[in-house]
Amino acid sequence: METIVIQYRVRPDQVTTHLALLRAVYAELARSRPAGLRFVTLQLDDGCSFVDIALAPELPGPLPRLESFRRYRAGLEDRCLERSTSGFTEVGSYGFGE
């Protein structure tokens, strides 16, 4: 299983647009239900910072095939003040399933 963590901070004037684009991605994921993909977005308490975690047999997996994800990604650099991507190795978990 491949994993990726993306941390980013959205410009304050772009948060509403960003959230709408994310809602569209999650709605399309709910409709298409791609096998093997786990994807979560966390909005941090400052309201502008986000963390995406994607897990799939192979990444980016089905995400680039989604029209909503392509729209979301198209303007991401312009919406963000900063952004970083990293992989990780799980050292333990509880309640996340296999």
Side-chain angles (χ1 to χ4, degrees):
M1 180 82 55
E2 289 186 45
T3 57
I4 192 165
V5 175
I6 304 167
Q7 298 171 283
Y8 54 98
R9 195 160 59 100
V10 173
R11 297 176 188 286
D13 65 326
Q14 293 294 309
V15 171
T16 300
T17 298
H18 187 74
L19 289 170
L21 290 164
L22 275 172
R23 281 191 285 279
V25 169
Y26 281 102
E28 189 170 358
L29 284 170
R31 286 190 305 275
S32 63
R33 305 188 58 76
L37 175 68
R38 289 192 274 171
F39 186 62
V40 63
T41 300
L42 308 170
Q43 184 178 20
L44 304 185
D45 287 342
D46 69 5
C48 295
S49 297
F50 295 83
V51 176
D52 293 337
I53 302 171
L55 296 95
E58 186 177 310
L59 288 172
L63 290 170
R65 292 190 296 269
L66 302 175
E67 176 62 33
S68 60
F69 188 77
R70 289 192 302 270
R71 281 192 310 271
Y72 164 76
R73 287 285 299 142
L76 186 59
E77 297 301 323
D78 292 334
R79 288 191 309 275
C80 287
L81 294 168
E82 56 189 77
R83 187 171 167 266
S84 68
T85 303
S86 60
F88 67 88
T89 302
E90 181 182 318
V91 295
S93 70
Y94 177 80
F96 279 86
E98 304 303 332

